[in-house]
Amino acid sequence: QVQLVESGGGLVQAGGTLRLSCVASGRPLSIYDMGWFRQAPGKEREFVATIKWNGRTTYNADSVRGRFTISRDNAKNTMYLQMNSLRPEDTAVYYCAADSRAYGSTLPSGYDYWGQGTQVTVSS
């Protein structure tokens, strides 16, 4: 099975940028569709973006469309989330996830493997 490790979170002012990374080990990233989710305190885990195994198709949640960009480099076994124009409401723990069944789901239940998460805090 694949292991996922996120990095790149931190504290940033509103309007700032961050780039999250998710590195896969154990199995090639290229065999999985991938996704980013986030969870704020007291809230359910929320879909952010998804990308097909070959990187040719992506889909973003309405709340981040036009501000966040999901991408991947299968040769480096790494997926990214470029986050621009950050807002305080983007504050959450961000998780990367792998989907071995190619569902292309926006639901957490559609993903088999999860990283431990990285904290993103946006101050106003």
Side-chain angles (χ1 to χ4, degrees):
Q1 70 185 47
V2 66
Q3 291 81 45
L4 304 172
V5 178
E6 303 95 335
S7 63
L11 173 64
V12 64
Q13 288 188 332
T17 65
L18 282 174
R19 188 194 198 199
L20 305 184
S21 298
C22 172
V23 178
S25 62
R27 300 202 74 184
L29 189 72
S30 59
I31 66 175
Y32 299 100
D33 291 349
M34 298 293 294
W36 285 100
F37 288 78
R38 65 187 182 186
Q39 189 165 18
K43 295 188 176 181
E44 294 187 352
R45 195 163 293 191
E46 174 189 26
F47 169 75
V48 175
T50 186
I51 186 167
K52 295 297 287 183
W53 66 273
N54 57 10
R56 293 178 182 174
T57 303
T58 64
Y59 180 73
N60 287 2
D62 289 345
S63 58
V64 305
R65 192 166 294 131
R67 300 188 298 123
F68 291 10
T69 303
I70 188 172
S71 63
R72 65 193 295 163
D73 185 340
N74 287 340
K76 295 182 178 180
N77 271 343
T78 304
M79 178 180 66
Y80 305 97
L81 186 68
Q82 177 68 42
M83 304 188 294
N84 299 331
S85 302
L86 282 160
R87 303 168 180 169
E89 54 264 39
D90 295 319
T91 295
V93 177
Y94 282 70
Y95 298 90
C96 68
D99 167 17
S100 66
R101 295 159 290 180
Y103 286 165
S105 178
T106 61
L107 297 175
S109 58
Y111 293 80
D112 311 277
Y113 305 102
W114 293 83
Q116 83 290 347
T118 185
Q119 176 70 47
V120 171
T121 303
V122 184
S123 63
S124 57

